[in-house]
Amino acid sequence: MTKIFELPALKFTFDALEPAIDARTMEIHHGKHHAAYVANLNKALESAPEYYEHTITDILRNIQSVPEASRTAVRNNGGGHANHTLFWDILQPGGSKLPHASLAKMIDSTFGSYDAFVEKFNQAALTRFGSGWAWLALDAQKKLYVYSTANQDSPLMDGQTPILGLDVWEHAYYLNYQNRRADYIKAFWGLINWDVVQQAYEAA
Ligand code: MN3
């Protein structure tokens, strides 16, 4: 049976991240935006149904091999599906303190300190013009990078593995923060489940 991509359930209720992220934003973001990326990804792959059997990670890592007629739609909607799936996964009501174990050491050795890493990530998130994402990602040599991507582009498309991401599209924060992206970014740091990020780091 052909598998099609599905919207993953949230691990928490829509209001669980309040006041940092309001319930209405979560409801629309997950139930409308992410759901639409999944639906449009499935539609884009109707002409190349063999891709339903692939993982979204594999598809994005090999985006250039997706048939050209579907590639842009898969890039946008497959990227949207993967990015939001990671985003929901690393969020947790109240967060979980700080990075620990091997990831904490790597953050310190790469960026100088946790605070320096946060500053660099904040700058990436704040200066991304228009819509996009800020990332902590690993390259093939397991080196850590902080940067941002436009639209729904994923670090997977650049041969990197994202382990922490922040959605800075206006749909992610506008109801609660309007133009105050910096306040939304600041609130994000109190919502991160570093156990999940650590697991992603070890798995990469
Ligand atoms: Mn979004």
Side-chain angles (χ1 to χ4, degrees):
M1 200 185 90
T2 299
K3 293 174 284 183
I4 64 168
F5 292 96
E6 292 180 352
L7 180 66
L10 290 177
K11 296 175 291 183
F12 41 79
T13 56
F14 291 135
D15 64 356
L17 303 179
E18 288 193 347
I21 302 179
D22 63 284
R24 183 77 179 128
T25 293
M26 283 301 301
E27 187 176 1
I28 297 169
H29 201 174
H30 180 262
K32 302 292 184 192
H33 290 276
H34 189 173
Y37 294 124
V38 172
N40 290 328
L41 171 64
N42 285 325
K43 190 168 173 52
L45 292 175
E46 281 175 0
S47 58
E50 66 274 19
Y51 280 92
Y52 292 133
E53 305 294 335
H54 295 218
T55 65
I56 191 59
T57 299
D58 283 343
I59 293 173
L60 298 181
R61 281 196 194 285
N62 300 290
I63 189 69
Q64 294 308 325
S65 66
V66 172
E68 198 176 352
S70 306
R71 195 180 306 148
T72 298
V74 171
R75 184 181 190 98
N76 291 337
N77 295 289
H81 175 40
N83 293 344
H84 288 86
T85 299
L86 174 71
F87 190 44
W88 310 138
D89 210 32
I90 59 154
L91 296 177
Q92 168 187 312
S96 68
K97 304 175 289 290
L98 295 169
H100 45 264
S102 53
L103 177 57
K105 288 197 190 99
M106 188 58 80
I107 285 174
D108 284 347
S109 67
T110 304
F111 304 106
S113 66
Y114 172 76
D115 288 345
F117 153 67
V118 169
E119 175 61 24
K120 193 172 168 71
F121 190 99
N122 286 348
Q123 278 305 308
L126 200 57
T127 58
R128 164 51 55 189
F129 185 77
S131 298
W133 290 75
W135 301 104
L136 176 63
L138 283 165
D139 71 4
Q141 283 72 47
K142 310 300 177 199
K143 187 168 163 37
L144 286 175
Y145 289 89
V146 163
Y147 59 99
S148 69
T149 57
N151 305 314
Q152 293 295 350
D153 284 357
S154 163
L156 294 165
M157 299 167 187
D158 301 322
Q160 301 218 355
T161 302
I163 61 171
L164 178 73
L166 175 60
D167 189 343
V168 294
W169 283 56
E170 283 189 344
H171 69 225
Y173 63 87
Y174 203 84
L175 291 181
N176 205 13
Y177 296 94
Q178 295 82 48
N179 62 321
R180 293 175 285 114
R181 188 191 284 189
D183 291 346
Y184 161 70
I185 295 168
K186 188 176 175 191
F188 167 68
W189 295 104
L191 300 175
I192 299 169
N193 183 336
W194 285 104
D195 294 331
V196 171
V197 182
Q198 173 73 31
Q199 283 163 17
Y201 174 70
E202 288 171 6

